[in-house]
């Protein structure tokens, strides 16, 4: 087992923008990084983990939204587009903001384009929780945390609360 440390809000490293992976990045070391991210995500437990959260600033996401936790997904250099303008509210949590939940509005249906763990192109359409999760993880790669969508007042309270918890 090699568990990685998950950065916690308001750690400034969560604001670093991830860079795309290039063909030369597809090494055994990358496969080890992906496996370590899955172990970390399953152990947490979470349904997704972006590389940014483990202080690795490349465009890499691991996800598994299945009940049985037997459908690992790897998204590398992901992009998405909305399939319709409809947005929906869904309660989100984040491993980098432990034990805090908020309703966040995101596209209901999206088309995702990315590479898989071997660098092969993959494309899929999704909705509901999976679509929310992809948008949440893609935000992490851009340095965005879901609490950024909340009011300034709520963000100020959260920042203070988590700084205090981390000092303790
Ligand atoms: O485990 C997680 N659950 C979740 C629920 C709703 C929307 C998004 C998520 S992602 C989150 C794990 C995490 O922090 N990923 O970055
Ligand atoms: Ni998150």
């Amino acid at each position: 087992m090699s568990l990685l440390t998950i950065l916690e809000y308001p750690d400034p490293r969560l604001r670093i923008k991830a860079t795309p992976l290039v063909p030369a990045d597809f090494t055994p070391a990358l496969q080890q990084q992906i496996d370590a991210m899955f172990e970390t995500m399953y152990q947490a437990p979470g349904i997704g983990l972006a590389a940014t959260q483990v202080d690795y600033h490349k465009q890499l996401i691991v996800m598994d939204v299945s009940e049985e936790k037997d459908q690992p997904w790897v998204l590398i250099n992901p992009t998405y587009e909305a399939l319709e303008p409809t947005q929906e509210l869904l309660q989100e949590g984040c491993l980098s903001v432990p034990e805090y939940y908020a309703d966040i509005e995101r596209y209901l249906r999206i088309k995702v384009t990315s590479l898989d763990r071997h660098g092969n192109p993959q494309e899929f359409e999704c909705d509901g929780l999976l679509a929310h999760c992809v948008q949440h993880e893609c935000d992490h790669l851009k340095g965005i945390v879901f609490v950024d969508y909340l009011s300034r007042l709520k963000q100020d309270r959260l920042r203070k609360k988590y700084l205090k918890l981390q000092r303790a």
Side-chain angles (χ1 to χ4, degrees):
M1 286 285 277
S2 45
L3 295 177
L4 304 168
T5 303
I6 299 176
L7 301 178
E8 291 190 2
Y9 179 85
D11 193 309
R13 291 171 290 179
L14 287 170
R15 302 306 180 185
I16 300 172
K17 286 182 177 57
T19 56
L21 274 89
V22 298
D25 289 326
F26 290 82
T27 59
L30 176 67
Q31 303 306 319
Q32 281 177 12
Q33 173 71 16
I34 292 169
D35 291 339
M37 282 176 61
F38 271 117
E39 284 176 20
T40 305
M41 180 193 78
Y42 286 127
Q43 195 267 342
I47 59 173
L49 185 70
T52 309
Q53 293 176 277
V54 293
D55 204 20
Y56 183 80
H57 302 285
K58 301 275 181 156
Q59 293 178 9
L60 164 63
I61 291 165
V62 299
M63 281 178 23
D64 189 339
V65 299
S66 69
E67 290 270 305
E68 306 289 332
K69 297 293 161 209
D70 57 357
Q71 285 169 47
W73 274 94
V74 176
L75 304 184
I76 287 171
N77 301 346
T79 58
Y80 64 83
E81 58 180 271
L83 289 170
E84 43 181 280
T86 320
Q87 296 190 272
E88 71 166 355
L89 276 175
L90 196 126
Q91 193 185 69
E92 296 194 8
C94 181
L95 296 173
S96 296
V97 191
E99 291 167 57
Y100 183 77
Y101 304 90
D103 287 335
I104 303 293
E105 195 160 44
R106 307 234 189 230
Y107 291 118
L108 173 61
R109 295 207 327 119
I110 59 173
K111 184 170 90 178
V112 184
T113 305
S114 75
L115 302 177
D116 68 12
R117 69 183 295 158
H118 305 294
N120 302 311
Q122 60 183 358
E123 200 177 271
F124 62 96
E125 294 181 7
C126 59
D127 60 14
L129 180 61
L130 183 53
H132 269 260
C133 189
V134 169
Q135 291 168 81
H136 174 117
E137 304 309 342
C138 287
D139 270 357
H140 276 304
L141 299 182
K142 296 171 197 151
I144 300 167
V145 181
F146 81 122
V147 298
D148 298 351
Y149 298 115
L150 304 175
S151 71
R152 190 58 201 278
L153 179 64
K154 282 184 181 168
Q155 289 183 53
D156 284 346
R157 286 198 192 124
L158 282 170
R159 193 178 303 109
K160 286 183 189 127
K161 179 182 140 182
Y162 282 96
L163 283 172
K164 198 170 167 185
L165 279 170
Q166 286 158 30
R167 274 197 302 272

